[in-house]
Amino acid sequence: MIFTSVVLAALAANSVAAIPQICTRQSGGQFVPKPGYFPATGDDTIAGGIFCISLSDLGTYLARVGNNPGATGSESPRSGQATSGSGPYPAQAFTDPKLGKHTIFAPKTPPPANVTMPILAWGNGGCATDPTSHKNLLIEIASHGYVIAADGIAGGKTGASQSMVSDMKASLDWATSGGAAKYGSVNTSAIATMGHSCGGLEAMSSAYHDERVKRIIMFNIGIFQDEKRYLLQEIKVPVAWFIGGPKDMGYPNVEKDYKLLNAGLPAYKASLDTGHGGTFAATNGGKQGKAAVAYLQWQFRNDQASKAILLDPKAPGSLVSDKWTVEYKNWEGY
């Protein structure tokens, strides 16, 4: 997640000085938003890319709006058990020498050749270089026949304190150049970028002006700064947000972003009362794991039962029956 337990305790007392580094300012020029100015790529000198926020700006933002990033909700879970996922293809974490600063989550044994696997690039909360906090979620998704390249390795020993857009781009380059083929029949035309908190903003920054990316999935995060929202004009693929209710610091920003996407662009927004931390630590990623799998199965495999879980409150196992609040638009024909 974006915050450690020590920092969460400090934030509970509203100590802005204790805010961790969601996006670290580095040497060189930082992207400066200006209506009408669209940089060629989503890269920036801060982690999370052009859609993200610097540490100093984050402190100012939180002090102004009064968000408590450490808040929890009625659906916040305790840590669950590690499994191989609930899908038909038991999954695990791998390392790959051709993508040495990442962890691969994929089925332990390649699925049958007629099962083509989409490619997902994942960014961690805080743009951390260790995906361990999200392992339960990522293994759950992979067990349904997906190959995921996540920023970082266990222990975070990549030589960097945070991941950058270039790290997620490296995942896409690796997959599209054949690196993912060892895990089974992969579909490099079915690619999504996704992530939690800073990692979600990294996912949007990585998808910006990259035609390889067909979907963006963001957990518990939206754009912080109003002056950057004009960049949403350049997002041309469907976006899904899975957020943690009004206590989630990403919640008010997602409400704005959802309304400002290009007219006609499909969007999906589901909210569960978890606060910013989500359900990642629960067995199989908890309710966010279930929601993510359903969305991916609908989008990349046209699974109608999964579509019903997301769109029909009366469908068996619907997100609404799981206490999600759901809103969506422009999905006619999808």
Side-chain angles (χ1 to χ4, degrees):
M1 295 185 295
I2 184 173
F3 300 108
T4 67
S5 58
V6 173
V7 174
L8 284 173
L11 286 172
N14 294 316
S15 175
V16 174
I19 295 169
Q21 296 181 355
I22 177 172
C23 304
T24 305
R25 189 182 300 274
Q26 299 185 356
S27 61
Q30 182 181 336
F31 166 70
V32 177
K34 181 180 179 181
Y37 168 48
F38 298 99
T41 73
D43 297 271
D44 199 359
T45 58
I46 59 172
I50 60 173
F51 286 100
C52 207
I53 187 170
S54 70
L55 175 59
S56 58
D57 290 336
L58 177 63
T60 301
Y61 170 87
L62 292 177
R64 183 179 74 249
V65 300
N67 285 94
N68 178 5
T72 57
S74 60
E75 294 289 327
S76 299
R78 297 178 181 177
S79 295
Q81 297 179 339
T83 74
S84 298
S86 68
Y89 315 110
Q92 69 178 57
F94 297 87
T95 57
D96 191 313
K98 293 185 178 180
L99 197 64
K101 294 182 179 181
H102 296 70
T103 301
I104 311 302
F105 294 88
K108 295 179 181 180
T109 302
N114 65 335
V115 177
T116 57
M117 295 187 289
I119 301 295
L120 311 176
W122 172 265
N124 307 301
C127 289
T129 55
D130 184 345
T132 302
S133 295
H134 303 92
K135 182 177 180 179
N136 287 358
L137 171 81
L138 300 179
I139 284 181
E140 170 64 10
I141 293 172
S143 76
H144 291 268
Y146 294 83
V147 177
I148 307 168
D151 291 339
I153 57 178
K157 298 178 181 179
T158 66
S161 60
Q162 290 183 289
S163 63
M164 305 293 286
V165 168
S166 58
D167 293 297
M168 191 168 281
K169 291 281 192 179
S171 294
L172 302 181
D173 294 342
W174 166 82
T176 55
S177 65
K182 63 192 292 185
Y183 300 101
S185 299
V186 294
N187 183 359
T188 55
S189 65
I191 292 177
T193 54
M194 54 194 293
H196 173 221
S197 196
C198 178
L201 294 171
E202 182 181 298
M204 182 168 274
S205 296
S206 297
Y208 171 92
H209 288 182
D210 192 327
E211 294 183 353
R212 296 175 297 182
V213 180
K214 308 305 180 185
R215 297 291 185 273
I216 303 168
I217 306 171
M218 303 175 71
F219 293 88
N220 305 85
I221 203 66
I223 301 169
F224 285 96
Q225 298 138 300
D226 289 337
E227 60 267 28
K228 287 190 173 184
R229 294 189 206 284
Y230 78 93
L231 292 170
L232 288 168
Q233 298 173 45
E234 296 298 280
I235 298 300
K236 306 295 177 63
V237 298
V239 182
W241 289 272
F242 296 98
I243 48 179
K247 296 177 184 177
D248 181 357
M249 74 172 182
Y251 182 91
N253 299 321
V254 172
E255 293 296 298
K256 294 179 180 180
D257 295 349
Y258 179 83
K259 295 174 182 177
L260 289 174
L261 286 179
N262 288 320
L265 188 67
Y268 187 85
K269 175 167 64 75
S271 179
L272 184 70
D273 184 29
T274 66
H276 191 63
T279 68
F280 305 108
T283 301
N284 297 329
K287 291 184 178 182
Q288 282 187 319
K290 173 184 173 180
V293 168
Y295 182 77
L296 289 164
Q297 293 287 77
W298 168 32
Q299 293 297 296
F300 287 133
R301 294 197 168 105
N302 195 29
D303 183 79
Q304 293 303 298
S306 295
K307 178 179 179 180
I309 287 172
L310 291 154
L311 303 188
D312 182 1
K314 297 181 180 180
S318 72
L319 292 199
V320 170
S321 70
D322 278 346
K323 301 182 180 180
W324 290 85
T325 299
V326 173
E327 186 175 354
Y328 57 89
K329 59 184 177 182
N330 302 323
W331 289 107
E332 299 82 1
Y334 275 78

